[in-house]
Amino acid sequence: MTATDRSIELINAAAQAAADRLAHDIIAYDVSDVLSITDAFLLASAPNDRQVKSIVDEIEEQLQKELGAKPVRREGDRDARWILLDYVDIVIHVQHSEERVFYALERLWKDCPEIALPEDAIKTRGKAEEHAQLNGGTEGDQS
């Protein structure tokens, strides 16, 4: 089984929205062969809680506006360290950079095929590391 065309469309729109809000290290996996509950995961991160929330808000707004899609569940808003958007067909994880490193979701899904993303999303790869180096290796909540 592979991710449906609808799932790919949602992933690409979400990835572009995340890139527009300067998310770091955007990547998507086709998890349809290993999970029956969803087709794909999108992972993105940001260096502070406020930006995590901004990215999630933009993704929600763009998916609603462009594709008429609303999440069936949104979790993690209170702390904004890891917000999950569940669209059934896809699940989006936007994490604070520290959580991204700690939980390393990429390691869990590394055997699943990557989904091709828009160029703007691909350009975000390595941005978390670059940001950490520019800020003395710390990923605090300073903006």
Side-chain angles (χ1 to χ4, degrees):
M1 221 170 123
T2 60
T4 65
D5 290 342
R6 174 68 172 170
S7 297
I8 301 297
E9 182 179 40
L10 290 167
I11 284 287
N12 280 296
Q16 184 61 55
D20 290 346
R21 286 287 184 226
L22 307 178
H24 296 168
D25 301 315
I26 302 168
I27 192 165
Y29 294 100
D30 181 337
V31 297
S32 61
D33 283 341
V34 294
L35 292 177
S36 61
I37 58 171
T38 193
D39 281 350
F41 281 164
L42 180 74
L43 310 175
S45 55
N48 61 63
D49 304 350
R50 186 173 39 238
Q51 191 174 357
V52 167
K53 187 153 179 20
S54 174
I55 292 164
V56 169
D57 290 346
E58 182 69 11
I59 290 170
E60 261 193 295
E61 183 179 321
Q62 291 307 314
L63 290 187
Q64 170 65 39
K65 189 168 112 181
E66 293 174 20
L67 303 170
K70 288 184 180 181
V72 295
R73 189 174 71 197
R74 179 175 170 152
E75 295 181 5
D77 266 335
R78 201 179 71 146
D79 295 329
R81 301 284 293 181
W82 181 347
I83 299 177
L84 179 142
L85 294 173
D86 183 351
Y87 285 87
V88 181
D89 294 330
I90 68 167
V91 175
I92 300 166
H93 301 269
V94 181
Q95 298 174 296
H96 187 288
S97 298
E98 292 170 354
E99 270 70 7
R100 180 86 178 258
V101 170
F102 183 78
Y103 290 101
L105 295 179
E106 288 92 338
R107 279 191 309 210
L108 293 173
W109 307 110
K110 70 178 187 247
D111 294 333
C112 295
E114 259 188 64
I115 296 173
L117 296 176
E119 188 64 32
D120 289 344
I122 293 167
K123 289 178 184 176
T124 68
R125 308 274 171 91
K127 291 290 184 184
E129 185 177 329
E130 182 181 308
H131 178 78
Q133 289 174 351
L134 289 173
N135 292 293
T138 59
E139 289 284 343
D141 270 280
Q142 302 87 12
S143 296

